[in-house]
Amino acid sequence: MATHNENTSKLGLNRNIGIMAHIDAGKTTTTERILFYTGRNYKMGEVHDGGATMDWMVQEQERGITITSAATTVYWQLFGKKFKINIIDTPGHVDFTVEVERSLRVLDGAVALFCAVGGVEPQSETVWRQADKYKVPRISFVNKMDRAGADFFGVIDQMRDRLGANPVPIQIPIGAEDDFQGVVDLVKDKAFIWEEGSDGTKVVEVPIPEDLEKISHDYRMKLIEGVAEESDELLEKFMEDPHSITEEEMINVIRTSTLDMSITPVMCGSAFKNKGVQMLLNAIIEFLPSPLDIEDVAGINPKTNKEEFRSADPSDNFSALAFKIATDPFVGRICFFRVYSGKLKAGSYVYNVSTGKKERISRIMQMHANKQEPLDVIEAGDIGAGVGFKKIHTGDTLTEDKHPIILEAMSFPDPVISIAIEPKTQKDIDKMSLALAKLAEEDPTFKVATDEDSGQTIISGMGELHLDILVDRLKREFSVECNIGLPQVNYKEAVTATVEHKETYKKQTGGRGKFAQIQFELGPVDKGEEGLQFVDEVKGGNVPKEFIPSVKKGFLNAMQNGVLAGYSVDNLKVTLKDGSFHPVDSDQLAFEMVAKVGYKAAAKMAKSVLMEPIMKVEVVTPEDFLGDVTGDLNKRRAILEDVTAKVGYQIVKAKVPLSEMFGYVTSLRSLTSGRATSSMEFDSFKEAPAFVSEEVIKKIKGNY
């Protein structure tokens, strides 16, 4: 039997990290190199050849992008100990933001990758904010130092300005672009260069180049100042003699400052040229947290509704969070989960708190991209995958049935774009609906619905690329050929005025009738409120207490279909003032109905408006085309926010309605001879102008 100390020391050797970045910053290449140096792969896979291990989906290999977060486990020797690193390679494309979100929720630390040329890009900002939200400590790696236009210090300034981070270099590059040779390690106060032709495995110590002596001294000073808050004595020591500080002292203090998120250590290299990845692995071990460094996880006990804590200890009660469901053609559905406390044996039962059902996990595996290695038992602080279960969804908490706890679930954005989809042959109808159900299980931002009026199957997602890939997966993984309609924007509706209304619902059908009457006020929600804000002000039992939840339920259901064009209403305030009932004819259903009917009547008077999704767009264009690009954006009803000049190119930031952005990538290509790039992500819903609203309503009403 392992003792507590043994268990905890074992946990101290674990790291659960994610690699996050903007598209094309080199995440997957970096992960490939990590697999190579840790002895996982004997050859190096390349994204551009379509041979990357982690991008194992056909779509990923074809497009050279990462779509699903793949989990893998590697081991790395440092300080004479063997460390275990669970890595989750997250996608960088904005349409797959949810993948990043759910991965960050279960990680302890992250490596933020930046391209030395592109610097901080829009998606870098999104993932950085997501990491802030889940309080994930991170280190940064400035990749592609060998590329033309690489600017290490420029990226650091951007991190400070755009991300509001406190980046502190722990390395500075020796040379850049074709001349990138090595780094000055500010912690060791030594310089290292990589031997050419050694796959980056041979690192040679050299004297610090003269031209870098002053810079490296200044940055070492900044590093020590950056962490001096943690240790005054270090600062004093440094003032007396800069060389008297030991490497160990530096590492400990940098680690403490990284864990409390007061600094982000920054390193540099070129993963493609095999430079700097081993040092990055060392830094992951040295500066990122083990499960023991993380605060106990908080959750709610569903039996008592009180907050409880679970610690990263195998002897504590078992709790885990399912953060991803994937479908494997050979083993069926796989559930990726992070164990926060206790341990789980293969073949044993877990209690799914979200469904209230017991599930058997027949096998537990450690994943290596899309290959599996079986485990007998998985313990606190580890990430694994289980098979054999019936109903587990993303975000479900798994526990022991005697000690349930609900861990904080993840929040997912609503889809912004929809298309109609139908199988090419009649016999594929059932096949398609099964396949869509599987895909919706895997991806919480992908929704499938049936249009009640036309009977069409409608699929919704986070962007054109997102839906494009899902349709492609239908074809390849499930052999379902589909026809797809034109993309439709997912509008919403909102009320802008507050009105008072009295509604009566009466039905007489031989014998017992139905009767309910309510008087209510309907309008926009108060500041800071979301969803249905329901206020009960009924006095004197005019509406019996047992019927009030039915009234609320009626309004909730009615919000699914707005009065303008049937789009859902997200936020609504209803104040129930008064009402009356009949001792025999009134029941729950009557009060639910009166709320639905009342909503329709009142919403028409409450100046309902159409809300359209607005996207945050960023275009990087050569200077020559700036006028054409901004002119085109203005035609698309864009609000230009900022134009930043860089050497040779301009960055245009704008907010543009989604309905105007279909096919934008193609038209931008033709405008700029293929030299400009763009990225967009969802920003918010804003009231649509009258002419757009009229057009949309006309279109919808014309369909009826």
Side-chain angles (χ1 to χ4, degrees):
M1 186 72 189
T3 64
H4 179 66
N5 290 352
E6 265 178 64
N7 280 329
T8 47
S9 66
K10 203 160 88 184
L11 270 178
L13 301 176
N14 267 19
R15 297 289 181 273
N16 295 315
I17 64 140
I19 297 183
M20 54 186 229
H22 185 86
I23 192 164
D24 274 348
K27 289 181 304 301
T28 304
T29 307
T30 307
T31 313
E32 289 296 325
R33 297 299 181 264
I34 290 176
L35 294 175
F36 175 76
Y37 292 123
T38 52
R40 265 299 187 172
N41 284 3
Y42 297 104
K43 71 173 192 42
M44 298 194 196
E46 301 296 356
V47 176
H48 53 87
D49 298 338
T53 313
M54 296 299 270
D55 286 351
W56 49 273
M57 283 169 61
V58 184
Q59 294 85 346
E60 295 181 310
Q61 292 180 357
E62 281 185 351
R63 296 165 195 252
I65 59 172
T66 305
I67 299 168
T68 54
S69 308
T72 191
T73 304
V74 299
Y75 293 91
W76 186 242
Q77 291 279 352
L78 193 65
F79 315 127
K81 294 176 181 161
K82 187 176 180 187
F83 288 85
K84 177 180 186 178
I85 311 175
N86 292 317
I87 303 171
I88 295 185
D89 177 25
T90 61
H93 199 286
V94 61
D95 286 10
F96 308 104
T97 237
V98 59
E99 288 278 347
V100 183
E101 183 93 12
R102 55 181 169 192
S103 305
L104 284 171
R105 169 67 182 83
V106 297
L107 295 173
D108 300 330
V111 177
L113 233 58
F114 297 100
C115 167
V117 185
V120 175
E121 296 171 276
Q123 187 64 9
S124 327
E125 293 180 44
T126 310
V127 291
W128 195 269
R129 282 198 306 275
Q130 286 172 317
D132 281 341
K133 174 174 149 189
Y134 292 115
K135 297 186 178 59
V136 177
R138 57 216 94 136
I139 57 178
S140 289
F141 184 70
V142 177
N143 191 22
K144 304 195 177 183
M145 280 302 300
D146 58 314
R147 289 266 302 274
D151 179 0
F152 176 72
F153 298 109
V155 177
I156 286 177
D157 292 341
Q158 284 186 11
M159 283 174 72
R160 202 173 284 114
D161 300 342
R162 284 190 162 192
L163 303 173
N166 179 15
V168 176
I170 53 173
Q171 293 177 344
I172 54 174
I174 302 174
E177 303 184 356
D178 287 345
D179 192 34
F180 175 60
Q181 300 162 357
V183 293
V184 176
D185 187 325
L186 300 174
V187 175
K188 292 188 167 80
D189 203 14
K190 291 173 180 170
F192 298 96
I193 61 169
W194 287 277
E195 244 184 48
E196 287 300 324
S198 70
D199 281 345
T201 44
K202 284 195 180 134
V203 182
V204 183
E205 189 184 327
V206 294
I208 295 177
E210 276 176 33
D211 58 334
L212 289 177
E213 273 179 2
K214 183 172 179 328
I215 298 178
S216 65
H217 179 272
D218 291 352
Y219 271 97
R220 195 160 195 252
M221 184 68 202
K222 276 186 187 162
L223 174 61
I224 288 167
E225 278 174 1
V227 296
E229 288 167 15
E230 302 288 341
S231 167
D232 296 336
E233 66 193 86
L234 258 198
L235 198 59
E236 278 170 33
K237 219 169 156 184
F238 182 82
M239 293 303 191
E240 282 167 26
D241 174 13
H243 298 288
S244 63
I245 297 173
T246 67
E247 188 184 334
E248 198 170 332
E249 286 176 317
M250 284 281 279
I251 288 175
N252 286 341
V253 176
I254 296 170
R255 179 179 179 85
T256 315
S257 306
T258 308
L259 293 190
D260 67 16
M261 291 174 64
S262 56
I263 68 163
T264 304
V266 186
M267 309 170 71
C268 59
S270 160
F272 181 55
K273 292 280 174 61
N274 315 315
K275 292 176 178 175
V277 176
Q278 285 123 313
M279 292 177 178
L280 177 64
L281 278 162
N282 292 345
I284 289 171
I285 304 288
E286 288 166 346
F287 308 129
L288 286 180
S290 77
L292 294 174
D293 298 313
I294 302 293
E295 291 174 1
D296 287 356
V297 61
I300 303 289
N301 182 333
K303 290 180 178 171
T304 60
N305 273 338
K306 287 196 175 105
E307 192 171 49
E308 287 183 10
F309 292 91
R310 297 284 164 88
S311 59
D313 181 347
S315 57
D316 201 348
N317 296 321
F318 172 74
S319 67
L321 187 74
F323 65 93
K324 181 174 165 66
I325 306 292
T327 307
D328 182 285
F330 303 107
V331 288
R333 289 169 63 233
I334 302 174
C335 163
F336 289 84
F337 56 89
R338 156 80 194 259
V339 184
Y340 283 98
S341 58
K343 56 182 169 195
L344 177 69
K345 287 186 178 143
S348 52
Y349 283 88
V350 294
Y351 176 67
N352 184 348
V353 186
S354 316
T355 59
K357 296 214 168 36
K358 279 175 93 170
E359 293 274 5
R360 184 168 181 260
I361 307 288
S362 56
R363 285 189 296 147
I364 303 170
M365 301 162 301
Q366 203 101 57
M367 300 297 287
H368 167 54
N370 62 333
K371 299 181 185 71
Q372 301 103 15
E373 287 159 18
L375 291 176
D376 294 330
V377 65
I378 187 163
E379 294 188 342
D382 214 345
I383 288 177
V387 292
F389 58 90
K390 286 191 173 72
K391 220 173 185 162
I392 298 178
H393 298 104
T394 302
D396 286 357
T397 305
L398 310 175
T399 62
E400 297 165 25
D401 56 345
K402 290 190 179 82
H403 305 284
I405 186 169
I406 301 172
L407 301 173
E408 178 205 359
M410 295 163 257
S411 52
F412 300 117
D414 283 338
V416 291
I417 177 171
S418 302
I419 54 173
I421 181 168
E422 57 181 36
K424 282 191 177 164
T425 59
Q426 211 56 31
K427 61 175 194 315
D428 278 353
I429 288 183
D430 291 347
K431 215 166 148 189
M432 182 180 90
S433 49
L434 271 171
L436 288 173
K438 277 187 178 168
L439 291 172
E441 239 172 29
E442 284 181 29
D443 182 349
T445 55
F446 173 59
K447 300 273 188 290
V448 183
T450 306
D451 185 302
E452 285 176 15
D453 299 293
S454 64
Q456 283 178 309
T457 302
I458 309 286
I459 56 172
S460 316
M462 298 311 292
E464 282 185 272
L465 178 70
H466 185 196
L467 293 181
D468 190 23
I469 282 175
L470 284 159
V471 170
D472 196 37
R473 285 185 65 189
L474 276 178
K475 185 171 141 188
R476 301 217 187 177
E477 285 172 41
F478 303 97
S479 322
V480 179
E481 294 274 355
C482 295
N483 294 323
I484 54 173
L486 287 170
Q488 303 289 328
V489 177
N490 284 358
Y491 294 96
K492 291 199 181 293
E493 292 183 26
V495 297
T496 56
T498 302
V499 295
E500 208 158 296
H501 182 68
K502 187 174 185 179
E503 188 66 52
T504 309
Y505 178 72
K506 232 179 193 163
K507 212 168 183 186
Q508 209 58 52
T509 49
R512 219 178 124 184
K514 295 263 185 231
F515 177 82
Q517 190 176 57
I518 52 171
Q519 192 173 337
F520 62 94
E521 195 176 82
L522 177 143
V525 289
D526 298 343
K527 212 171 173 176
E529 293 283 339
E530 278 184 355
L532 173 62
Q533 185 188 354
F534 187 79
V535 184
D536 173 15
E537 288 183 358
V538 177
K539 305 271 187 313
N542 287 351
V543 176
K545 277 275 176 276
E546 66 264 30
F547 295 146
I548 299 257
S550 301
V551 176
K552 186 177 177 182
K553 186 180 168 191
F555 278 111
L556 253 176
N557 289 341
M559 282 167 70
Q560 301 302 317
N561 291 304
V563 291
L564 287 178
Y567 293 107
S568 64
V569 175
D570 273 5
N571 302 315
L572 189 70
K573 182 179 180 182
V574 174
T575 310
L576 189 59
K577 301 269 192 183
D578 202 2
S580 60
F581 72 106
H582 187 281
V584 177
D585 289 354
S586 289
D587 58 8
Q588 276 152 332
L589 191 64
F591 274 95
E592 195 178 317
M593 286 307 295
V594 77
K596 285 182 180 173
V597 177
Y599 163 82
K600 279 203 165 124
K604 281 181 181 144
M605 298 184 290
K607 297 187 178 143
S608 284
V609 293
L610 200 68
M611 308 289 279
E612 61 178 353
I614 306 291
M615 307 305 276
K616 202 157 82 190
V617 177
E618 186 162 304
V619 183
V620 178
T621 172
E623 278 173 33
D624 316 354
F625 301 107
L626 182 64
D628 295 344
V629 168
T630 51
D632 178 62
L633 282 170
N634 284 329
K635 276 187 213 144
R636 297 172 184 271
R637 300 194 283 125
I639 297 167
L640 290 177
E641 291 196 316
D642 183 38
V643 179
T644 320
K646 292 278 173 112
V647 181
Y649 61 94
Q650 302 271 357
I651 299 171
V652 182
K653 289 186 174 179
K655 299 246 172 88
V656 195
L658 174 67
S659 57
E660 305 285 346
M661 289 303 286
F662 290 135
Y664 181 63
V665 175
T666 319
S667 58
L668 182 68
R669 249 186 234 136
S670 56
L671 262 182
T672 61
S673 316
R675 288 174 63 196
T677 57
S678 71
S679 57
M680 72 173 181
E681 62 180 289
F682 171 70
D683 181 70
S684 57
F685 276 93
K686 293 267 175 11
E687 187 178 332
F691 71 94
V692 172
S693 228
E694 279 163 23
E695 192 67 27
V696 170
I697 294 168
K698 203 160 99 193
K699 210 166 155 186
I700 294 275
K701 298 277 193 246
N703 287 347
Y704 289 160

